[in-house]
Amino acid sequence: MTDALVIGGGPAGLMAAEALLTAGRTVTLVEAKPSIGRKFLMAGKSGLNLTKMQAFGPFLATYGTGLHPTMRACLKAFGPSEVKGWAEGLGQTTFTGSTGRLFPHAMKASPLLRAWLARLDALGLERHTRWRWVDWERNIHHFETPEGARVLTPRVTVFALGGASWARLGSDGHWAERFAANGIEVAPFQPSNVGQLVEWSDHMVRHFGAPLKGIALHAGDQVSRGEVVISKRGLEGGGVYPLAPSLREGADLTLDLMPDLSLQAVVERLAKPKGKASLSNHLRRVLKLSPAAQAILREFVHPLPHDPIALAQMIKAVPIRHAGLRPMDEAISTAGGVSFDALDDTLMLKDRPGTFCAGEMLDWDAPTGGYLLTACFATGLWAGRHAAEYDRP
């Protein structure tokens, strides 16, 4: 018999464990991988973006109009200012970048994770790695471990098993089959925050690795401003990732190479005499289009029209012909997971009293830029606090 069990050692699971320990519960945390927080560490490899420091209204709106009320409540209880205070409470000073993104001064995730685990250990956390959850019957949980099969029977449980991307780091989504087999509604996983597959012509090879800056991308009613990188496999980067919800629904993708100029302003610049200059030099001179931007334009619009109006229309809406999203395991995160219809407003499974769910295994979607990580923290804390208050009959 175990008091409180947390299954999953990512940000949501660790936050649930902290909430339970702070409330005085005895907590056992199990993780399938050899170490804790592997995806968290990978997310911080190029700079750990903890959250976005902005007013709560715009912050919440970024998650989309379909955000479930329980998710809104979680984020209201633990939003950007709470994330900042929590990180600094672990001794990790932070700074806010020019775009409002919050980072620890160390930039990496490892110092924060070490400090976090030290605090949890001091509170009495018992943790096991290489324990893979297999199935459960009521509140009896079965695990595969290096020492063989193990069974735990907790009073309360918080699942934080992640989504279905980056399987090598632990989020393989295999748990969904067992949940569905036990009658729990699970929405199919879909890739999110992921690149676009583009089958380039040979002339694009020399531009692989080149960035496209100062652009805007449009898909359906979504607009994204951000850098995109031309890769061998397609388009990658923060500019295209937020458009995944619309692109999953089949929306067309267009690229505005001059988003800070109106169509008329582009026409006027293109109409300037070009003399003996080639069209490429003319585009470089009057619009400052980089070689990579011109290559993208020529890849999808050929031949280029010489009429200033027609050419300006193409520059403002380059039609990107793509072959869909990159595979789900390459996605930063996934949509889909445990349906909110299967949960009450404490994130407890309605058909499994005393069993809570948190993090990416819930059916929600969020862009990168701190929104994804903040919601994992917030749902883990919400589930952990309510689990701490729950007394199994």
Side-chain angles (χ1 to χ4, degrees):
M1 192 71 182
T2 303
D3 182 18
L5 172 65
V6 177
I7 305 175
L14 292 173
M15 193 61 82
E18 182 168 355
L20 285 157
L21 288 163
T22 303
R25 304 296 290 255
T26 301
V27 183
T28 299
L29 182 144
V30 298
E31 163 61 41
K33 289 296 181 178
S35 58
I36 302 291
R38 292 166 82 91
K39 189 174 179 182
F40 182 58
L41 290 171
M42 180 62 75
K45 195 170 183 180
S46 58
L48 182 63
N49 182 192
L50 289 167
T51 192
K52 181 83 174 283
M53 300 304 294
Q54 62 186 142
F56 186 66
F59 179 83
L60 197 63
T62 308
Y63 289 86
T65 56
L67 190 67
H68 193 274
T70 302
M71 283 293 297
R72 289 199 292 270
C74 294
L75 291 164
K76 186 175 182 180
F78 197 78
S81 59
E82 287 79 14
V83 171
K84 177 180 172 68
W86 168 81
E88 295 189 344
L90 285 168
Q92 305 300 302
T93 58
T94 63
F95 70 95
T96 303
S98 59
T99 61
R101 296 181 177 187
L102 184 76
F103 299 89
H105 276 105
M107 290 300 285
K108 299 177 182 178
S110 50
L112 178 61
L113 181 60
R114 284 195 300 270
W116 196 4
L117 290 175
R119 180 159 77 184
L120 296 178
D121 289 344
L123 288 170
L125 178 66
E126 177 185 340
R127 47 190 170 106
H128 302 279
T129 55
R130 293 189 170 92
W131 279 45
R132 175 171 289 277
W133 180 80
V134 177
D135 205 347
W136 86 118
E137 309 156 25
R138 297 185 182 179
N139 65 319
I140 303 172
H141 295 270
H142 298 264
F143 298 91
E144 293 175 350
T145 80
E147 293 76 33
R150 291 289 185 271
V151 175
L152 293 179
T153 307
R155 292 183 173 86
V156 293
T157 301
V158 178
F159 278 108
L161 290 168
S165 64
W166 292 15
R168 69 188 186 281
L169 301 179
S171 297
D172 57 24
H174 291 165
W175 58 265
E177 296 178 7
R178 299 313 312 149
F179 271 54
N182 280 274
I184 297 168
E185 183 179 351
V186 179
F189 290 117
Q190 300 181 82
S192 187
N193 295 301
V194 67
Q196 289 289 299
L197 176 64
V198 180
E199 297 175 358
W200 304 111
S201 62
D202 291 341
H203 96 279
M204 290 297 296
V205 172
R206 65 191 182 97
H207 299 286
F208 290 167
L212 295 171
K213 300 182 178 182
I215 62 171
L217 298 104
H218 298 251
D221 60 359
Q222 287 187 286
V223 181
S224 175
R225 294 289 300 264
E227 184 175 310
V228 170
V229 175
I230 302 169
S231 75
K232 181 178 181 180
R233 299 178 298 178
L235 295 175
E236 309 279 351
V240 72
Y241 293 162
L243 302 178
S246 291
L247 294 171
R248 286 196 305 258
E249 300 300 319
D252 292 330
L253 176 63
T254 60
L255 194 159
D256 184 349
L257 293 172
M258 303 297 299
D260 296 322
L261 293 179
S262 67
L263 176 64
Q264 184 58 36
V266 176
V267 172
E268 291 172 359
R269 294 192 182 195
L270 291 173
K272 292 179 180 180
K274 67 183 184 72
K276 295 182 179 180
S278 66
L279 181 55
S280 293
N281 285 334
H282 186 58
L283 290 172
R284 177 181 53 80
R285 187 174 67 244
V286 301
L287 293 179
K288 294 183 171 54
L289 284 185
S290 68
Q294 291 198 42
I296 282 284
L297 180 62
R298 294 177 184 277
E299 177 74 2
F300 297 108
V301 182
H302 53 82
L304 289 180
H306 288 269
D307 174 67
I309 296 177
L311 182 55
Q313 290 172 336
M314 291 295 97
I315 289 171
K316 293 287 289 178
V318 182
I320 306 297
R321 295 184 300 275
H322 60 87
L325 300 172
R326 295 295 304 163
M328 188 151 55
D329 195 50
E330 295 180 15
I332 293 174
S333 62
T334 49
V338 177
S339 169
F340 280 93
D341 290 338
L343 301 161
D344 67 13
D345 59 7
T346 70
L347 295 180
M348 184 173 73
L349 288 168
K350 293 175 181 177
D351 294 338
R352 297 279 177 139
T355 301
F356 299 77
C357 298
E360 281 192 64
M361 68 182 297
L362 303 175
D363 183 17
W364 56 282
D365 200 357
T368 56
Y371 301 99
L372 182 66
L373 189 52
T374 298
C376 287
F377 289 144
T379 55
L381 183 65
W382 187 268
R385 283 176 172 172
H386 286 94
E389 297 171 353
Y390 183 83
D391 287 317
R392 187 179 295 278

